Amino acid sequence: MATKKNNSSGKSLVIVESPAKAKTINKYLGSGYKVMASMGHVRDLPGRTMSVDLSHDFEPTYEIIPERQKTLSGLKEAARDTDMVYLAVDMDREGEAIAWHLTEALKLKKNGYRRVVFNSITKRSIENAFANPLTLDMEKVYAQQARRILDRIVGYEISPLLWKKVARGLSAGRVQSVAVKLIVEREKEIRAFVPEEFWKITGIFSTSENGDLVQKYQEFLDKFKDKPPTAKDKYTWLTKHKALETQLVSVSGDNFRPDNEKEASRIYQALQSAPYHVAEVITKRTKSNPGAPFITSTLQQQAANRLAFSTKKTMRTAQNLYEGIEITEQGSVGLITYMRTDSTHLAPEAVAAARDYIKEHFGDAYLPDRPNVYAKSSKSAQEAHEAIRPTDVTLAPAMVKRDLTPDQYKLYKLIWERFVSCQMPPAQWDSTTVNIAADTKLGQAIFRTSGRKLVFDGFMKVAGISNGDQILPSLEQDQQVWPIKVDPTQHFTTPPARYTEASLVKALEAEGIGRPSTYANIISTIQDRGYVEQLERKFHATDLGIVVTEKLMEHFPRVMDVAFTSHMEEQLDKIEEQHLNWVEVLHEFYDPFKENVERAHKEMNHAKAETQPSEYTCPECKEPMVYRFGKNGRFLSCSKYPDCKFASPCDRDGKMVEPEMTDHKCPECGKEMILRKGRFGEFLGCSGYPECKTTQKLDKDGNPEPPKAPPKPSGITCYKCGGELVVRESKRGEFLGCGSFPKCRTIISIKQLDHLKELQEQGIWPPKTFEEADELLGRNKKKAAATKTTKKKKKATAKKTTRKSAKAKTPVTAE
């Protein structure tokens, strides 16, 4: 037991990540605790350098995050006034790393702090955690550190290469680049896809000989002039009129799928005079099982599919629900358990509470004899963690709706319904398959359909009934049926579907790329970098994404290999779970990677120097045109460049975009203006280019913005070139610039205008040297002050920098 300090307040300090979490926890702790927030990480690898010593076993250099200086000062002051510090940050690797960095930054002694972890912010969980404090799990810290260093190495080694070989400002990521690769490969499959023709014959049949139904069905279809009726609309009509929709599946025992109209028409003609009867009715009882309780990835997928939430929005909203919401008459309440998990395990007390709730509200018929148990979602899933569930099942969504935002309510309802329904029995259906036969001169033709009828709703009582099948009328074998409409239709095979956020998360999880807690960041990053974009909630690879991916696949096949990326994720997991040496894991990746980097710097061609053939001919010189890559993406260029400089933009499919003439006239030469696209969006360019290079920006309504007012003469002489300084406009306001711009780029603050006029009247301006100009403008004092500030910052940073022991090869915990 530590000796009590003289200045101790008697309170223990509890550190969490966020103020919201602090507020909720504070409600359950007594007056002997002071709860403060670290606002996330307090230390990190500084961004200006790699900060990893590659020649000394990846020794990292951490610095205090500048934005956390004030927060850390407050924590230090509070820690000095307490006997014990409880690190109550999140229970995952990132949380463990934050806890370790806090011990280092606050210089906590080993017997002066404890680690507390809890899966939910409830009174019971908090009291249990503080009654059973833990020590830091350094294996988790090593795993997080290894991942952080690995990602830093890839980013800092490959990004400069992309700047040099593709375009400035680009970056690469160990996991993000592989995620982009999935989208790029799907993009190529879609572009290379060649549709194949096939035909269907649909049969709509009635169970009664009613001639009016043919006309009534046509009248029903005529209501949908712009687009065909939905399946729901169609099935509603069919059910009302005791009819059913079928597809022709075989003729004379052979599968029916003709690839041309002639064959389809031949069979259609043979069906015209044939009688129809029910050849077979097969009915069997089937079950639909409830889904497992949510883990991070499945929550993200369902929220994307059912709520149209982005992964980022899902995680942000779940974080709010976990950390605490102000509930009327209850204060701040953590509504769900921790939302970063890959375990479907449920605590026994949670299962018991769910079963009690089901029995009370739905009855014994909806309560299985034994609790439902779900298999592990992955090899690495930890049973110590729980699935995502409500902390209190009795807080039904309707009870807390008024205290939640619309998004919070939707997500909480989704989580609550999945948890309760996962402990209910399966839904039961009567599934029926019907074969309708027609004897034709070509042999017997079989039409088939299936449908199902709900017998017992089971878990769907809570989860909702999902059934897109048609409800079939009562049918018996050999019963005659009458055609309402038999219709041959042409179809074409479709390319693979584009990834949505939900399907991309599913693919990342299936391939072992990244971890569920990183998916939201991966998806956000690849869009921010401009490698992919979402159109109508579907991912499209950009030209930049395709070029960068092709370069990386050519020169870094191991880094871009899905299997190897998955293997590295498993190795990082083993650092935590099997005490694998984190330095050895990094060497396994870096040693061959280093050779690839050195080779790529020598062998990788610049993207702008490469061309791809196209189907177009240059309209000016009649030579073939090629695709090139520029700062605005892919475009068409004459293959004889620079002898012929004709170029044209192209769309995302590579098709030439014809110039779009507008009604606007060039303010300089009077020629028509053309609508063009640049890196900052659409603008107007003169059709007389390159003789006339006039351009005009467009406002938000697509109209040309009025030209800027010409610069105002100031009468002040430029001290660099002897020309005249003029008053120009910028987004930040007026400034003084040389009238000879761009030849002379002198810029002076507008605040100096009156001062310069006085100096010029006194014959002091313009000075003879640049140094004298800086003196007259007061720049020397500013430079000296800036230099002094920079030196102070560097000195302070040097003191705060913590270097790990190269011999230990692991983070050192202060004693």
Side-chain angles (χ1 to χ4, degrees):
M1 182 74 70
T3 304
K4 196 170 185 176
K5 302 174 187 175
N6 293 330
N7 63 342
S8 172
S9 65
K11 287 188 175 184
S12 294
L13 174 63
V14 180
I15 303 177
V16 297
E17 297 104 314
S18 72
K21 190 175 179 181
K23 185 177 180 181
T24 309
I25 289 177
N26 198 49
K27 187 178 79 166
Y28 300 119
L29 296 175
S31 58
Y33 296 89
K34 182 178 182 179
V35 187
M36 298 179 69
S38 71
M39 309 303 292
H41 278 279
V42 295
R43 296 197 316 170
D44 197 4
L45 301 173
R48 61 183 178 275
T49 61
M50 183 181 285
S51 305
V52 176
D53 192 339
L54 300 175
S55 59
H56 291 85
D57 285 341
F58 313 102
E59 186 181 341
T61 300
Y62 293 112
E63 289 185 3
I64 303 299
I65 299 171
E67 295 80 8
R68 298 290 177 268
Q69 291 280 7
K70 187 176 179 180
T71 300
L72 199 57
S73 297
L75 292 173
K76 283 182 178 177
E77 185 176 343
R80 281 195 296 267
D81 195 28
T82 186
D83 289 332
M84 181 60 66
V85 176
Y86 289 95
L87 304 170
V89 288
D90 286 345
M91 61 189 294
D92 58 7
R93 289 176 193 165
E94 211 66 33
E96 210 71 22
I98 292 173
W100 176 75
H101 282 296
L102 282 167
T103 66
E104 296 289 301
L106 298 176
K107 296 182 172 56
L108 300 178
K109 292 184 178 180
K110 191 172 184 179
N111 60 356
Y113 69 88
R114 294 288 182 270
R115 178 77 167 105
V116 290
V117 296
F118 36 82
N119 186 53
S120 59
I121 306 178
T122 61
K123 182 176 178 63
R124 179 176 178 175
S125 295
I126 298 301
E127 288 177 349
N128 184 60
F130 278 82
N132 301 279
L134 308 171
T135 57
L136 275 176
D137 185 345
M138 293 307 297
E139 302 302 328
K140 276 188 178 180
V141 177
Y142 303 152
Q144 188 276 343
Q145 178 173 264
R147 182 184 297 277
R148 184 77 181 91
I149 291 173
L150 197 58
D151 291 342
R152 174 58 65 97
I153 289 171
V154 173
Y156 271 70
E157 293 278 286
I158 297 183
S159 296
L161 181 66
L162 295 179
W163 280 47
K164 179 181 176 183
K165 302 293 187 177
V166 181
R168 291 185 64 82
L170 298 182
S171 58
R174 178 182 62 88
V175 177
Q176 293 92 332
S177 295
V178 181
V180 174
K181 175 188 173 183
L182 294 181
I183 297 172
V184 167
E185 289 181 336
R186 181 61 55 87
E187 189 76 37
K188 290 182 176 180
E189 288 177 29
I190 292 170
R191 291 182 180 181
F193 181 80
V194 179
E196 294 181 1
E197 180 184 9
F198 69 95
W199 285 74
K200 289 182 180 180
I201 295 182
T202 302
I204 308 290
F205 297 101
S206 169
T207 57
S208 61
E209 188 177 7
N210 188 338
D212 292 344
L213 285 181
V214 174
Q215 183 179 346
K216 287 180 179 179
Y217 185 66
Q218 190 58 50
E219 291 173 352
F220 163 74
L221 295 178
D222 291 342
K223 293 178 181 178
F224 302 89
K225 294 180 180 178
D226 298 330
K227 55 183 179 180
T230 63
K232 183 178 179 180
D233 291 329
K234 188 186 294 183
Y235 291 159
T236 299
W237 190 94
L238 293 173
T239 302
K240 180 181 177 181
H241 295 88
K242 296 182 179 180
L244 66 160
E245 180 182 53
T246 65
Q247 294 288 337
L248 181 61
V249 294
S250 67
V251 177
S252 192
D254 297 327
N255 290 338
F256 175 79
R257 192 180 172 92
D259 58 5
N260 61 84
E261 183 179 7
K262 183 179 179 180
E263 178 64 14
S265 180
R266 183 176 74 90
I267 295 171
Y268 170 69
Q269 293 299 327
L271 291 167
Q272 291 304 295
S273 57
Y276 297 89
H277 68 277
V278 177
E280 191 175 28
V281 179
I282 303 173
T283 300
K284 60 182 179 178
R285 185 65 55 89
T286 61
K287 294 181 179 180
S288 297
N289 292 314
F294 283 131
I295 60 175
T296 304
S297 58
T298 55
L299 176 63
Q300 291 172 341
Q301 292 171 51
Q302 283 295 301
N305 288 330
R306 293 181 57 181
L307 307 179
F309 281 14
S310 67
T311 50
K312 195 172 184 179
K313 182 177 182 178
T314 298
M315 296 308 290
R316 183 176 63 247
T317 308
Q319 184 93 28
N320 297 150
L321 295 172
Y322 165 70
E323 291 183 341
I325 302 292
E326 286 291 328
I327 303 298
T328 305
E329 298 180 356
Q330 293 190 46
S332 186
V333 177
L335 290 175
I336 65 170
T337 53
Y338 192 53
M339 61 286 158
R340 293 184 178 90
T341 177
D342 58 359
S343 173
T344 55
H345 172 69
L346 294 170
E349 58 269 23
V351 174
R355 287 175 63 82
D356 289 344
Y357 186 91
I358 292 166
K359 184 173 183 178
E360 180 183 349
H361 290 81
F362 306 110
D364 290 337
Y366 291 90
L367 187 67
D369 294 336
R370 290 184 297 276
N372 294 334
V373 179
Y374 295 90
K376 281 187 177 183
S377 55
S378 66
K379 294 179 184 177
S380 61
Q382 300 181 31
E383 291 303 303
H385 294 178
E386 269 198 89
I388 305 168
R389 61 168 176 84
T391 56
D392 183 354
V393 72
T394 63
L395 286 177
M399 295 175 63
V400 295
K401 184 175 183 179
R402 63 177 178 174
D403 297 310
L404 304 180
T405 67
D407 287 342
Q408 289 169 350
Y409 170 72
K410 290 174 184 176
L411 194 65
Y412 180 66
K413 185 172 183 285
L414 195 69
I415 294 168
W416 187 92
E417 289 177 347
R418 175 59 76 97
F419 170 64
V420 174
S421 66
C422 86
Q423 291 304 315
M424 297 175 76
Q428 296 184 35
W429 308 81
D430 274 345
S431 295
T432 302
T433 299
V434 176
N435 288 343
I436 293 178
D439 294 319
T440 75
K441 62 181 180 181
L442 298 177
Q444 189 177 63
I446 299 294
F447 287 81
R448 182 173 296 156
T449 190
S450 61
R452 61 179 184 170
K453 181 180 180 181
L454 185 64
V455 177
F456 173 63
D457 53 2
F459 77 94
M460 290 184 176
K461 185 84 171 177
V462 170
I465 297 173
S466 56
N467 180 27
D469 296 348
Q470 64 174 317
I471 298 174
L472 301 176
S474 179
L475 295 166
E476 295 180 1
Q477 191 163 338
D478 297 327
Q479 176 183 344
Q480 187 174 0
V481 291
W482 289 264
I484 295 175
K485 188 177 181 69
V486 176
D487 187 25
T489 51
Q490 183 186 38
H491 301 268
F492 292 92
T493 53
T494 56
R498 293 188 179 279
Y499 285 112
T500 62
E501 289 209 20
S503 61
L504 182 58
V505 165
K506 189 174 182 179
L508 293 173
E509 184 177 35
E511 297 288 358
I513 300 170
R515 285 296 176 257
S517 60
T518 65
Y519 294 156
N521 184 57
I522 291 170
I523 290 173
S524 177
T525 300
I526 62 179
Q527 292 178 87
D528 292 342
R529 289 176 176 172
Y531 296 148
V532 303
E533 58 184 350
Q534 278 200 72
L535 301 174
E536 297 179 348
R537 297 179 60 204
K538 295 178 181 178
F539 284 112
H540 294 251
T542 64
D543 292 333
L544 178 63
I546 293 172
V547 168
V548 169
T549 298
E550 288 176 344
K551 292 289 183 189
L552 294 181
M553 288 175 66
E554 180 182 357
H555 295 278
F556 299 93
R558 200 160 178 253
V559 174
M560 297 295 284
D561 180 58
V562 171
F564 179 71
T565 303
S566 177
H567 166 71
M568 287 308 301
E569 291 292 348
E570 291 174 358
Q571 294 297 90
L572 291 169
D573 289 341
K574 288 178 181 178
I575 294 172
E576 174 187 346
E577 297 159 8
Q578 300 178 20
H579 313 310
L580 214 61
N581 186 294
W582 69 272
V583 174
E584 292 178 2
V585 171
L586 291 182
H587 273 298
E588 178 190 352
F589 175 88
Y590 181 70
D591 293 347
F593 172 74
K594 180 183 177 182
E595 297 177 6
N596 285 349
V597 172
E598 293 172 352
R599 190 181 303 112
H601 273 283
K602 298 175 183 177
E603 299 177 2
M604 186 183 288
N605 294 324
H606 199 289
K608 293 182 180 179
E610 296 178 333
T611 63
Q612 293 179 324
S614 80
E615 60 185 78
Y616 297 100
T617 301
C618 177
E620 293 188 359
C621 69
K622 308 306 179 186
E623 292 291 334
M625 295 192 74
V626 294
Y627 292 109
R628 295 183 186 274
F629 183 80
K631 61 182 180 181
N632 297 325
R634 189 169 57 154
F635 67 98
L636 283 161
S637 168
C638 182
S639 58
K640 293 300 180 182
Y641 177 86
D643 295 331
C644 176
K645 297 183 178 180
F646 179 81
S648 171
C650 60
D651 63 18
R652 63 173 55 257
D653 296 321
K655 295 179 180 178
M656 182 184 289
V657 176
E658 298 292 335
E660 185 179 339
M661 306 300 274
T662 68
D663 297 331
H664 303 291
K665 301 294 182 182
C666 176
E668 295 295 326
C669 68
K671 291 184 178 179
E672 290 179 322
M673 300 288 279
I674 297 174
L675 185 65
R676 298 186 182 276
K677 284 188 178 181
R679 62 189 304 182
F680 301 111
E682 294 184 335
F683 67 96
L684 294 177
C686 182
S687 59
Y689 180 87
E691 288 75 20
C692 179
K693 298 181 180 179
T694 303
T695 60
Q696 284 184 298
K697 293 181 179 178
L698 298 175
D699 61 21
K700 61 181 181 180
D701 297 321
N703 298 315
E705 293 182 354
K708 287 184 178 180
K712 304 173 188 175
S714 69
I716 308 296
T717 303
C718 175
Y719 69 96
K720 288 185 179 178
C721 69
E724 183 183 5
L725 297 179
V726 294
V727 180
R728 297 184 184 276
E729 285 278 352
S730 76
K731 291 180 179 179
R732 298 181 180 178
E734 294 182 332
F735 67 96
L736 289 172
C738 185
S740 301
F741 179 85
K743 291 182 179 179
C744 178
R745 297 177 179 267
T746 300
I747 293 177
I748 300 174
S749 171
I750 193 67
K751 296 177 182 179
Q752 298 275 9
L753 180 59
D754 293 337
H755 177 53
L756 292 178
K757 285 182 178 179
E758 291 178 9
L759 293 177
Q760 189 157 295
E761 288 174 1
Q762 295 170 14
I764 302 174
W765 189 270
K768 295 181 180 179
T769 64
F770 290 178
E771 289 75 14
E772 289 179 33
D774 287 339
E775 190 71 37
L776 291 171
L777 294 170
R779 289 176 175 168
N780 287 345
K781 294 180 181 178
K782 291 179 180 178
K783 286 181 180 178
T787 302
K788 190 175 180 180
T789 302
T790 301
K791 285 182 178 179
K792 281 185 177 180
K793 285 184 178 179
K794 286 183 178 179
K795 191 173 181 181
T797 300
K799 287 182 179 179
K800 293 171 184 173
T801 300
T802 302
R803 302 286 287 182
K804 305 290 179 300
S805 169
K807 293 181 180 180
K809 301 181 183 177
T810 56
V812 180
T813 305
E815 295 296 326

